[in-house]
């Protein structure tokens, strides 16, 4: 748990951060977001006192750490930045071992921890330990940067736009990996970004800052459904608000039992009807869809189920809808991890059915 | 450009390496037109010029011509193709160089047998060009092959060893410069050591003063303008003027304070030389120290701070290792510069190899001048090469 | 390039320094004789406290002539060579010329001066030869470096607008490289002012002549007179080139 109380930063008589108070519970993924110059980075850097605070108090757990010597505090807080800041003259292993080294861990424990972290990020320890930063790709370097920040098992992990400088494809992979690592380690994370989609994807709580002030601090779904003021509304972006909302909804919330055909051979698709059904094999795997095309006049009656147009229960509805549109079908098969048909999610469902608030929040 | 019309109609250049061809032609012209050696009845008069063909034995100049033809053919597209022609150059060029040296010594020994004991054999302009050209050919071949520093070092070492063998075996003893060496053997060793000692005793204080000043310039932007201004001021003053200007106040000080005199600090001698050398050394050291620290990425420093390193830990474990190659590059500049400036220090009685140069100039004894000048140049080149290797080694394996 | 960071002191101060020191230099060159009582007072033991074998004006002019002649030759040959090895036809020579310029500069100037004597004799000519040879190196090096700093995209854009090769060189490359080239000329001229001083040991008359005479004859007054003038000359020249460099710096 980390709590900020009345954090204020004044430069030359001007408040860049003004009275920011927020509390991020243990294991939460908190995101600070806002337009450039809103003070989000300054706030983050005040937490590990890279920028000294003008006013306010910081609590780590129940402990007031405002007066703790900065170096001691920083060794208890992980820190990852956009350009990774890896030390170019040290190997990956030496980079990860920095904070354990500062805390005087013994060699075998440090070495074990390095391997553990490389494994956590799916980097082969044998291959990567002795590489130098310039031998890494952007994505690999960023993973090592985060691994280094986690090295001494810090109470909190601070991340300052860590994925801002990588290409969109890598960013997506790193975000998924970050979600997984967050789930596996249960770390409290404070993450700064200016990208709303990234925030919605990662955050369990989002703090929106504007001109140095905290405007709203809420769960993503509440931010989308109950924006505090016009600034928040415009910052989220009105144009694709509906789609953003769907990015916080999951397939399992909309999932219906699949209509499995007992006798697929006798299925007769009447062009005018919207009837459809699934053909499955003996193991319960979906083979093909009869009917169910977006346009009734399409010639194809049977559509082979392929990997691309299926859904999983933990897929966002935004992605599921996107797949329906792309593959021109009204319904997607929902498969479990053994590719068995466990349900279906249909386009009408997205429009007609609104999951109860409780159900939506339960996921958060 | 020279080219032939190939059968398929495409033009194919005849010359593959114009640098090599130019060097071979330059050497040939020099050998034909300029004097290879000069023969004088004694050390003070200038000698009679003797051509390469006359000076060398027939087998020597025939081989030289063959080597030149081989090197010229290496410069063409045919018969040798790209990598093999460079390797061939790396074999033929040093053979040429060694043969020229050997031939010179051989001539000196023969000529002196039938001449008076005071006769002198000195090398002429053609000799220098015939040594210079193959050296450049070797350099060019290495650059085209893009070999690493280690391999070049090994090759250079072998070549230097062979040349040194020519000296040590006494084959070149007939040359006037070797006569001068023989006459001044003890003094040469003394001056050589004095030269090194002057350089070393200037570099020590220069580093002790310069490194903290460089760090200061990096940490306090306000100090930069004045600091670099003053140091540039020192660097600009001609060496002999600075040496000379230090003589007067030091002489006065030494006069006034017997304690200083007892310590050996006098107006003339090593003290003003070392002070001036330190003043000259400061700018490159301070500038490179500053540049080295300035080159450490801001994000690296931010990450270091963010992980809880103390300022001292950041300095010693991050900044200094990353700045070291640039700082050592400054040391390389300063060392080479100090070796050169120490020559001038001989004028204020500080000793060193410059003593031979100015003694020789004063007596119109050219070979004595060379006895001072050539070792100084060799010393500077060797120091430069060694420090270049040190800079390469100091570059952290991970740094780009 | 490497001198760029010395430019931080306020421009105005430097301009005043240049003007003041120039006036001081001219006054000292012309009226050193008037200071004779001062030198007599400071060095009462010296029989002749003022160098009078030649006027200081003549010595200064001789010194300037040495530097001027050698610098004009080194700059024209050096810039020419730098241009040649950066054009398509001469690019093959670039690595060799670059490393030659780098290695050559490790040779001590005084040793180069000494080594020219056996080939060219004593006096004005060998000094000119040595100064020219040595002065070439920084000019060549900086010409290559300066032309090398012109971004490839700029060159492509210039060619894209339809400029001829000569136009690209004259209107894009040279203006952009000018500051670095002038920095090279500055280094070359400053070294030559220093080496010309030593030229007096090989028989070329210069401001070094009273210094050497003073050192040989144990006359510190002579040493100071020569050294102050040549030091001032070097500093004034350096400040002048600094201004010149700044004038040619693009966008800053």
């Amino acid at each position: 748990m980390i709590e900020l109380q009345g954090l204020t930063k004044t430069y030359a008589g001007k408040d860049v951060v003004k009275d920011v108070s927020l509390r991020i519970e243990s294991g939460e993924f908190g995101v600070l977001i806002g337009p450039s110059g809103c003070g989000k980075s300054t706030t983050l850097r005040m937490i590990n006192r890279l920028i000294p605070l003008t006013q306010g108090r910081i609590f780590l757990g129940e402990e007031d750490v405002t007066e703790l010597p900065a170096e001691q505090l920083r060794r208890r807080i992980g820190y990852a930045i956009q350009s990774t800041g890896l030390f170019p003259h040290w190997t990956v292993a030496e980079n990860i071992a920095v904070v354990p080294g500062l805390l005087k861990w013994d060699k075998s424990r440090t070495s074990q921890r390095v391997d553990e972290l490389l494994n956590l990020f799916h980097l082969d320890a044998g291959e990567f330990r002795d590489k130098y930063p310039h031998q890494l790709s952007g994505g690999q370097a960023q993973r090592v940067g985060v691994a280094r920040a986690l090295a001494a098992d810090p109470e909190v992990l601070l991340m300052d736009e860590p994925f801002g400088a990588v290409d969109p494809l890598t960013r997506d992979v790193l975000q998924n990996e970050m979600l997984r690592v967050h789930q596996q380690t249960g770390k409290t994370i404070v993450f700064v970004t200016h990208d709303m989609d990234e925030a919605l994807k990662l955050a369990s709580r989002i703090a929106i800052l504007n001109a140095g002030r905290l405007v709203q601090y809420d769960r993503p779904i509440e931010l989308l459904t109950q924006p505090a003021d016009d600034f928040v509304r415009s910052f989220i972006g009105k144009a694709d608000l509906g789609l953003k909302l769907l990015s916080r909804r999951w397939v399992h919330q909309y999932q219906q039992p699949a209509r499995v055909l007992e006798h697929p051979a006798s299925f007769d698709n009447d062009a005018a009807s919207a009837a459809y059904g699934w053909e499955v094999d003996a193991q319960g795997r979906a083979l093909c869809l009869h009917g169910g095309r977006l346009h009734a006049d399409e010639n194809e009656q049977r559509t082979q189920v392929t990997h691309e147009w299926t859904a999983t229960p933990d897929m966002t509805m935004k992605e599921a809808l996107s797949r329906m549109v792309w593959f021109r079908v009204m319904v997607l098969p929902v498969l479990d991890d053994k590719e068995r048909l466990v349900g279906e999610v249909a386009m009408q469902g997205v429009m007609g059915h609104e999951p109860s608030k409780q159900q939506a929040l339960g996921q958060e | 450009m020279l080219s032939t019309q190939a059968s398929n109609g495409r033009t194919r250049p005849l010359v593959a390496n114009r640098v090599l061809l130019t060097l071979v032609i330059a050497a040939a012209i020099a050998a034909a037109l300029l004097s290879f050696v000069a023969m004088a009845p004694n050390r003070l008069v200038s000698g009679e010029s003797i051509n390469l063909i006359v000076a060398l034995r027939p087998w020597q100049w025939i081989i030289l011509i063959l080597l030149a033809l081989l090197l010229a053919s290496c410069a063409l597209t045919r018969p040798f193709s790209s990598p093999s022609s460079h390797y061939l150059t790396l074999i033929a060029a040093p053979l040429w160089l060694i043969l020229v040296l050997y031939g010179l010594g051989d001539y000196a020994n023969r000529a002196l047998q039938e001449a008076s004991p005071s006769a002198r054999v000195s090398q002429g302009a053609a000799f220098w060009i015939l040594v210079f050209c193959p050296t450049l050919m070797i350099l060019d071949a290495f650059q085209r092959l893009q070999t690493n520093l280690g391999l070049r070092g090994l090759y250079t070492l072998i070549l230097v060893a062979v040349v040194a063998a020519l000296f040590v075996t006494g084959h070149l003893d007939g040359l006037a410069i070797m006569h001068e060496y023989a006459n001044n053997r003890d003094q040469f060793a003394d001056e050589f050591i004095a030269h090194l000692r002057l350089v070393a005793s200037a570099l020590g204080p220069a580093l002790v003063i310069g490194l903290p000043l460089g760090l200061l310039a990096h940490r306090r932007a306000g100090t930069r303008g004045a600091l670099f201004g003053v140091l540039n001021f020192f660097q600009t003053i001609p060496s002999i003027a600075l040496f000379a200007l230090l003589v007067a106040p030091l002489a006065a000080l030494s006069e006034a304070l017997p304690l200083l005199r007892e310590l050996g600090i006098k107006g003339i001698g090593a003290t003003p030389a070392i002070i001036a050398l330190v003043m000259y050394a400061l700018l490159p050291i301070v500038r490179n120290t500053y540049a080295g620290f300035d080159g450490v990425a801001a994000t690296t420093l931010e990450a270091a701070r963010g992980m809880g390193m103390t300022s001292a830990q950041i300095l010693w474990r991050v900044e200094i290792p990353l700045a070291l190659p640039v700082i050592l590059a400054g040391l390389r500049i300063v060392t080479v510069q100090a070796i050169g400036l120490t020559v001038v220090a001989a004028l204020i009685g500080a000793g060193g190899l410059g003593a031979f140069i100015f003694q020789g100039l004063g007596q119109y004894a050219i070979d004595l001048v060379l006895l001072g000048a050539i070792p100084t140049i060799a010393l500077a080149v060797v120091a430069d090469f060694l420090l270049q290797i040190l800079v390469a080694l100091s570059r952290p394996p991970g740094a780009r | 390039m490497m001198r760029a960071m010395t430019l931080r002191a306020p421009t105005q101060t430097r301009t005043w320094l240049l003007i003041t020191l120039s006036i001081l230099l001219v006054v000292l060159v012309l009226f050193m004789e008037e200071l004779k009582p001062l030198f007599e007072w400071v060095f009462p033991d010296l029989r002749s406290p003022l160098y009078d074998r030649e006027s200081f004006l003549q010595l200064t002019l001789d010194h300037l002539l040495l530097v001027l002649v050698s610098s004009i030759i080194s700059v024209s040959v050096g810039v020419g060579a730098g241009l040649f090895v950066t054009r398509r036809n001469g690019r093959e020579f670039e690595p060799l010329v670059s490393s030659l310029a780098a290695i050559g500069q490790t040779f001590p100037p005084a040793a180069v001066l000494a080594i020219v004597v056996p080939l060219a004799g004593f006096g004005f000519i060998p000094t000119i030869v040595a100064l020219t040879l040595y002065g070439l190196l920084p000019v060549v090096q900086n010409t290559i470096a300066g032309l090398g700093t012109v971004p490839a995209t700029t060159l492509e854009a210039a060619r894209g607008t339809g400029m001829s090769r000569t136009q690209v060189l004259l209107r894009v490359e040279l203006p952009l490289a000018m500051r670095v080239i002038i920095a090279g000329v500055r280094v070359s001229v400053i070294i030559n002012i220093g080496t010309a001083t030593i030229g007096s040991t090989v028989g070329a008359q210069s401001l070094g002549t009273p210094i050497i005479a003073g050192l040989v004859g144990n006359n510190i007054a002579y040493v100071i007179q020569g050294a102050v003038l040549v030091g001032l000359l070097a500093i004034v020249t350096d400040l002048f080139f600094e201004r010149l460099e700044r004038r040619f710096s693009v966008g800053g």
Side-chain angles (χ1 to χ4, degrees):
Chain A
M1 193 274 285
I2 182 162
E3 183 168 359
L4 317 179
Q5 286 183 359
L7 231 53
T8 299
K9 180 69 203 178
T10 312
Y11 278 123
K14 215 179 140 242
D15 291 337
V16 258
V17 174
K18 176 79 179 156
D19 197 25
V20 168
S21 298
L22 54 88
R23 185 184 161 100
I24 298 167
E25 297 296 340
S26 286
E28 266 201 291
F29 200 129
V31 170
L32 304 181
I33 192 170
S36 42
C38 70
K40 54 188 191 291
S41 234
T42 310
T43 306
L44 187 84
R45 289 150 59 92
M46 277 196 282
I47 296 177
N48 65 359
R49 298 231 298 283
L50 282 172
I51 296 178
L53 358 165
T54 311
Q55 247 174 44
R57 304 212 74 79
I58 296 170
F59 293 87
L60 217 53
E62 293 309 311
E63 184 188 350
D64 183 346
V65 293
T66 323
E67 308 297 335
L68 205 68
E71 277 92 20
Q72 266 183 46
L73 174 68
R74 290 175 194 151
R75 289 171 198 178
R76 289 169 53 181
I77 299 180
Y79 186 52
I81 56 178
Q82 176 172 330
S83 40
T84 77
L86 291 179
F87 299 121
H89 56 312
W90 287 343
T91 62
V92 165
E94 286 167 333
N95 263 289
I96 295 178
V98 170
V99 183
L102 292 172
L103 294 171
K104 310 216 182 326
W105 287 18
D106 66 56
K107 270 214 178 87
S108 64
R109 182 177 171 204
T110 307
S111 160
Q112 204 183 334
R113 180 69 182 154
V114 168
D115 289 353
E116 208 175 287
L117 283 163
L118 286 174
N119 286 334
L120 179 66
F121 285 91
H122 297 322
L123 295 170
D124 180 54
E127 185 188 345
F128 283 96
R129 280 187 75 100
D130 298 326
K131 282 200 174 181
Y132 283 95
H134 75 270
Q135 297 168 308
L136 304 175
S137 72
Q140 290 165 346
Q142 205 49 257
R143 285 181 183 90
V144 174
V146 181
R148 180 175 70 170
L150 287 171
D153 211 7
E155 293 153 61
V156 178
L157 174 60
L158 307 184
M159 307 180 82
D160 193 354
E161 302 206 24
F163 309 140
V166 290
D167 64 90
L169 222 66
T170 313
R171 190 183 310 146
D172 195 55
V173 173
L174 286 172
Q175 285 166 349
N176 292 337
E177 213 152 303
M178 207 51 232
L179 277 175
R180 179 179 58 77
V181 169
H182 178 236
Q183 236 164 31
Q184 281 178 357
T185 60
K187 284 274 171 251
T188 312
I189 296 177
V190 188
F191 189 105
V192 163
T193 182
H194 60 263
D195 176 359
M196 199 61 192
D197 289 318
E198 183 167 74
L200 288 173
K201 180 168 179 183
L202 296 175
S204 61
R205 273 188 185 263
I206 297 180
I208 298 196
L209 283 88
N210 185 30
R213 289 168 186 276
L214 180 64
V215 186
Q216 188 171 6
Y217 180 50
D218 254 323
R219 294 167 204 273
I221 203 81
E222 284 161 347
L223 213 62
L224 291 169
T225 52
Q226 301 158 356
D229 59 12
D230 283 345
F231 170 78
V232 175
R233 207 167 295 132
S234 71
F235 188 72
I236 294 170
K238 289 172 194 149
D240 55 352
L241 197 62
L243 288 178
K244 284 215 170 79
L245 206 57
L246 285 179
S247 74
R248 293 299 295 191
R249 304 267 155 97
W250 280 265
V251 166
H252 67 83
Q253 297 169 326
Y254 290 81
Q255 191 175 323
Q256 302 291 326
R259 298 182 200 175
V260 177
L261 296 172
E262 300 288 332
H263 306 288
S266 64
F267 181 82
D268 176 32
N269 186 267
D270 167 2
S273 91
Y276 62 86
W278 302 97
E279 183 182 340
V280 293
D281 68 4
Q283 283 81 39
R285 283 188 300 234
L287 291 179
C288 61
L289 169 67
H290 293 262
R293 303 292 303 198
L294 266 184
H295 292 284
D297 58 306
E298 296 210 23
N299 309 334
E300 200 60 56
Q301 296 293 314
R302 291 169 73 249
T303 318
Q304 207 72 35
V305 173
T306 61
H307 176 67
E308 286 87 6
W309 66 281
T310 58
T312 53
D314 58 355
M315 181 180 278
T316 67
M317 278 309 288
K318 187 181 171 185
E319 191 174 350
L321 185 68
S322 168
R323 288 185 180 206
M324 287 184 219
V325 173
W326 183 252
F327 290 101
R328 308 178 68 79
V329 290
M330 293 156 70
V331 59
L332 288 184
V334 180
L335 307 183
D336 66 4
D337 48 8
K338 293 194 178 66
E339 300 201 345
R340 282 184 309 233
L341 184 67
V342 292
E344 64 180 40
V345 55
M347 197 168 269
Q348 294 105 306
V350 182
M351 311 301 170
H353 163 79
E354 170 74 3
S356 74
K357 191 144 206 174
Q358 225 40 51
Q359 208 180 341
L361 296 183
Q363 165 65 26
E364 310 280 324
Chain B
M1 200 190 288
L2 290 172
S3 60
T4 53
Q5 201 72 23
S7 56
N8 59 5
R10 248 182 43 229
T11 13
R12 187 167 161 214
L14 184 67
V15 183
N17 183 343
R18 288 187 300 148
V19 177
L20 182 55
L21 193 67
T22 311
L23 291 172
V24 174
I25 293 172
I29 293 175
L33 298 181
L34 299 172
S35 93
F36 182 68
V37 290
M39 175 87 182
N42 60 59
R43 88 190 271 221
L44 298 183
V45 299
S46 54
E48 169 202 358
S49 295
I50 292 159
N51 206 286
L52 178 83
I53 304 280
V54 181
L56 296 190
R57 293 180 203 260
W59 69 265
Q60 289 166 348
W61 57 256
I62 287 171
I63 293 182
L64 268 190
I65 289 173
L66 288 177
L67 282 173
L69 289 174
L70 178 65
L71 285 165
S73 70
C74 282
L76 304 180
T77 2
R78 273 166 303 179
F80 308 109
S81 55
S82 173
S84 53
S85 67
H86 303 321
Y87 288 117
L88 215 54
T89 307
L90 285 180
I91 296 167
L95 283 179
W96 177 349
L97 196 155
I98 290 160
L99 188 59
V100 167
L101 263 173
Y102 179 87
L104 179 73
D106 196 30
Y107 170 77
N109 292 338
R110 267 183 292 136
L112 288 180
Q113 271 171 7
E114 46 213 64
S116 78
S118 60
R120 294 296 175 120
V121 178
S122 307
Q123 48 287 18
F127 166 79
W128 290 116
I129 292 172
L130 286 175
V131 168
F132 193 54
C133 284
T135 313
L136 292 187
M137 291 174 196
I138 293 169
L139 203 64
D140 177 62
F142 271 127
Q143 271 164 350
R144 284 169 196 264
L145 286 169
Q146 300 190 327
T147 40
N148 60 34
L149 204 61
L151 218 61
R152 286 184 206 198
L154 187 69
Y155 183 91
T156 313
L157 214 63
I158 294 171
L159 189 55
V160 168
V162 174
V163 173
L166 281 177
F167 281 95
V168 172
T169 52
H171 181 77
L172 297 169
D173 282 355
L175 291 175
I177 182 170
M178 295 308 285
H179 276 264
E180 294 292 353
Y181 172 69
N183 293 342
N184 297 288
R185 193 184 292 267
D186 294 336
Q187 200 201 343
F188 184 83
D190 289 348
E191 300 293 13
F192 192 81
I193 289 168
H195 203 105
L196 291 180
R197 188 180 296 149
L198 279 171
V199 171
S201 40
L203 290 184
L207 285 172
V208 170
I209 303 168
L211 295 176
L213 279 181
L215 192 58
L216 179 76
H218 177 249
R219 297 291 201 256
R220 301 258 179 284
T223 61
R224 256 169 247 160
L227 185 61
F228 285 118
V230 169
L231 295 182
N232 186 51
F233 200 76
F234 291 159
Q235 190 94 53
T236 306
I237 301 173
S239 53
I240 187 169
L242 188 57
F243 283 123
L245 283 175
L246 286 171
V247 169
L250 277 169
L253 264 180
S254 163
E255 197 82 3
L257 300 169
L259 183 71
L260 286 180
R261 208 162 46 241
E262 273 168 39
L263 288 172
I265 293 180
K266 292 176 295 184
I268 294 274
T271 316
I274 291 171
I275 294 177
L277 289 176
V278 170
M279 288 163 88
Y280 282 118
L282 281 178
L283 181 65
I285 291 182
V286 174
R287 186 178 52 206
N288 279 48
T289 307
Y290 164 75
F293 279 103
D294 203 46
V296 180
T299 52
T300 306
L301 295 178
E302 157 140 4
R305 283 210 313 139
M307 281 186 300
M309 287 191 174
T310 62
S311 314
Q313 284 168 331
I314 294 175
L315 178 67
W316 288 103
R317 298 175 56 182
V318 180
E319 292 188 282
I320 290 182
L322 288 175
L324 196 60
V326 185
I327 297 176
L328 286 177
L331 182 65
R332 174 182 166 198
I333 296 171
V334 164
T335 308
V336 170
Q337 179 186 284
I339 289 172
L341 290 170
T342 301
V343 171
V344 182
L347 282 173
I348 56 165
L353 291 167
F356 292 116
I357 296 181
F358 296 114
Q359 208 176 314
L361 289 173
Q363 301 170 359
Y364 290 86
I366 299 309
D367 298 306
L368 190 56
V369 172
L370 292 183
L371 183 63
I374 291 173
T376 316
I377 292 174
L379 196 59
V381 172
V382 168
D384 185 63
F385 188 66
L386 292 180
L387 281 162
Q388 198 180 340
I389 291 173
L390 191 65
V391 170
L393 288 179
S394 76
R395 204 162 286 142
R400 263 160 271 205
Chain C
M1 310 170 273
M2 52 187 190
R3 283 175 182 254
M5 64 180 68
T6 62
L7 300 179
R8 300 241 166 86
T11 315
Q12 241 178 351
T13 324
R14 305 224 137 211
T15 308
W16 279 112
L17 202 61
L18 175 58
I19 294 171
T20 317
L21 293 180
S22 308
I23 294 172
L24 185 64
L25 175 65
V26 172
V27 168
L28 278 180
V29 166
L30 294 176
F31 304 109
M32 187 70 95
E33 284 82 0
E34 311 299 323
L35 293 177
K36 194 170 180 181
L38 176 70
F39 286 107
E40 276 170 347
W41 177 72
V42 178
F43 303 102
D45 303 337
L46 291 178
R47 211 156 37 85
S48 144
L50 189 82
Y51 187 80
D52 50 10
R53 274 169 245 173
E54 192 63 77
S55 76
F56 285 101
L57 179 62
Q58 186 59 48
L59 292 174
T60 309
L61 290 177
D62 287 341
H63 200 113
L64 284 176
L65 187 68
L66 281 172
V67 174
L68 216 61
V69 171
S70 61
S71 294
I72 287 172
I73 305 175
S74 352
V75 169
S76 30
V77 177
V79 172
L83 283 178
F84 170 68
V85 301
T86 49
R87 301 304 101 186
R88 204 186 340 177
N89 265 333
R91 194 150 292 156
E92 207 181 338
F93 289 84
E94 198 267 330
L96 189 70
V97 170
S98 287
S99 45
L100 204 59
I103 296 171
Q105 284 181 85
T106 67
F107 288 25
V112 173
L113 183 65
I115 222 164
V116 171
V117 170
L119 302 175
F122 279 84
F124 184 77
I125 297 295
T127 310
I128 288 286
V129 172
L131 293 191
T132 306
L133 281 179
Y134 205 85
L136 262 175
L137 307 173
V139 177
V140 173
Q141 196 170 41
N142 278 39
T143 305
I144 295 173
L147 292 169
T149 58
V150 181
T153 48
T154 309
L155 292 181
E156 204 174 297
R159 265 185 232 119
T161 59
M163 288 191 194
S164 69
R165 280 183 189 284
T166 325
Q167 283 171 325
V168 173
L169 177 65
L170 293 179
R171 293 169 58 179
V172 179
E173 289 185 85
L174 278 181
L176 286 176
M178 199 45 105
R179 200 187 63 75
V180 180
I181 296 177
I182 289 178
V185 175
R186 176 177 169 186
V187 174
S188 161
V189 170
I190 295 300
I191 291 176
N192 278 354
I193 290 179
T195 315
T197 320
I198 310 170
S200 55
T201 61
V202 301
Q205 185 162 280
S206 73
L207 285 171
T209 312
I211 300 179
I212 302 295
L215 286 173
V216 172
N218 217 354
N219 185 328
I220 289 185
Y222 288 3
V223 171
I224 291 177
Q225 287 149 17
V228 165
L229 287 184
V230 80
L232 267 178
L233 180 65
I235 286 164
V236 165
T237 312
D238 192 57
L239 287 171
F240 166 75
F241 270 103
E242 186 185 79
R243 273 182 72 84
L244 204 62
E245 252 180 64
R246 206 165 25 217
R247 169 171 293 189
F248 278 101
S249 70
V250 182

